[in-house]
Amino acid sequence: MASMVWTRYAAIGDSFTEGIGDLHPDGTPRGWADRAAEALSTRAEGFGYANLAVRGKLLDQILDVQLPAALALKPDLVSVSGGGNDLLRPGTDVDVLAARMDEGVARLRAAGADVVLFTGVDPAGSAVIRRTRGRVALFNELLRATAVRHGAHIVDQWSMDVLRDWRCWSIDRLHMSPEGHRRVALAMLESLGVQDAGDWREPELAPLPALSRGARLLFDARWARGYLAPWIGRRLRGRSSGDLVTAKRPGLSPVGK
């Protein structure tokens, strides 16, 4: 069965969708959304792609600002990923967060766009972020219900065991590496039924050598000092890494331009 063809793709979200951790040759963020758009563009004439995602944004900001801007572009495909920054905050009400996402997906589907959602990755291997595991798992289940309710596609990153491998992550452990972004792009294309795009499961990664307890503690300490502490500092000052950042592709344009 032939896969569908889309010609107007808009991506909204935070740093994950912006592509932090995966760069174009000119140093600008690439990421899974750019990679997926590149593949989709080879299957449709006149293909246009917009990426409205901005690092550090909370779900309310994504849905209140980026979603209306995406709808104005009259897309036939929209990817929505958000809530991760919210879930890092202990006081977040997961049910309220999921309800907001559900409302956003309903708006997009009512406008005639196909929608792709993303569950969170299982954070079991992270010394700090694994404390959010229960909240992430609950949010994922509510996202799956939203996908069924509105006929949206969903990329189940939680079940992608390869994403637990640190080679799929940047040194900051918060953003994916080029390898992680590559695999997520292929998983998105698979969720859309795009054929012959490649398999996110390949190549299989050989197991990493085990670190001693001392080496692991040193690794964690360096990470906390270099990346966790600055992140906490921004939160205490009420600042975000995306405060001075604008969308890299605010309008639909051909891939590569």
Side-chain angles (χ1 to χ4, degrees), residues 24 30-31 33-43 47 49 255-256:
H24 285 290
R30 185 187 186 191
D34 285 22
R35 291 170 178 266
E38 290 161 13
L40 293 172
S41 71
T42 67
R43 292 162 167 79
F47 183 86
Y49 164 52
V255 172

Side-chain angles (χ1 to χ4, degrees), residues 173 215-227:
R173 305 192 198 178
R216 187 169 61 251
L217 289 174
L218 179 61
F219 185 61
D220 289 343
R222 287 176 174 171
W223 169 76
R225 183 170 60 252
Y227 299 98

Side-chain angles (χ1 to χ4, degrees), residues 1-218:
M1 183 174 63
S3 59
M4 292 183 61
V5 174
W6 296 271
T7 60
R8 302 172 68 84
Y9 168 39
I12 63 176
D14 51 30
S15 60
F16 173 60
T17 302
E18 186 184 351
I20 303 302
D22 181 24
L23 301 179
H24 285 290
D26 65 1
T28 58
R30 185 187 186 191
W32 63 265
D34 285 22
R35 291 170 178 266
E38 290 161 13
L40 293 172
S41 71
T42 67
R43 292 162 167 79
E45 293 185 7
F47 183 86
Y49 164 52
N51 190 318
L52 304 168
V54 174
R55 68 198 73 174
K57 297 304 180 185
L58 301 172
L59 185 60
D60 280 346
Q61 296 169 314
I62 294 168
L63 298 179
D64 292 343
V65 178
Q66 296 177 25
L67 189 148
L71 283 174
L73 301 175
K74 302 187 184 303
D76 53 17
L77 176 65
V78 180
S79 61
V80 186
S81 179
N85 290 315
D86 301 80
L87 291 169
L88 289 171
R89 302 176 180 226
T92 296
D93 187 319
V94 178
D95 290 305
V96 171
L97 192 71
R100 281 241 58 197
M101 179 68 87
D102 192 273
E103 294 168 1
V105 174
R107 288 183 63 188
L108 292 168
R109 293 294 287 142
D114 286 320
V115 176
V116 183
L117 300 173
F118 298 78
T119 71
V121 176
D122 185 353
S126 171
V128 175
I129 300 177
R130 68 184 175 199
R131 297 176 183 176
T132 69
R133 196 178 190 216
R135 296 198 295 276
V136 174
L138 175 57
F139 187 59
N140 287 349
E141 286 303 304
L142 296 171
L143 278 181
R144 293 184 185 103
T146 286
V148 171
R149 186 177 300 116
H150 299 293
H153 304 270
I154 191 162
V155 178
D156 189 359
Q157 296 187 104
W158 184 278
S159 68
M160 295 172 66
D161 290 345
V162 70
L163 296 183
R164 300 184 189 181
D165 190 301
W166 285 117
R167 284 167 289 190
C168 287
W169 294 85
S170 298
I171 192 171
D172 66 6
R173 305 192 198 178
L174 297 172
H175 303 104
M176 288 186 180
S177 66
E179 179 63 8
H181 281 285
R182 182 187 72 83
R183 290 180 187 264
V184 171
L186 293 176
M188 173 183 164
L189 295 169
E190 178 180 276
S191 77
L192 290 172
V194 176
Q195 301 174 11
D196 303 320
D199 190 339
W200 60 264
R201 303 162 189 83
E202 299 176 353
E204 185 176 349
L205 297 177
L208 287 167
L211 292 175
S212 68
R213 183 174 183 276
R216 187 169 61 251
L217 289 174
L218 179 61

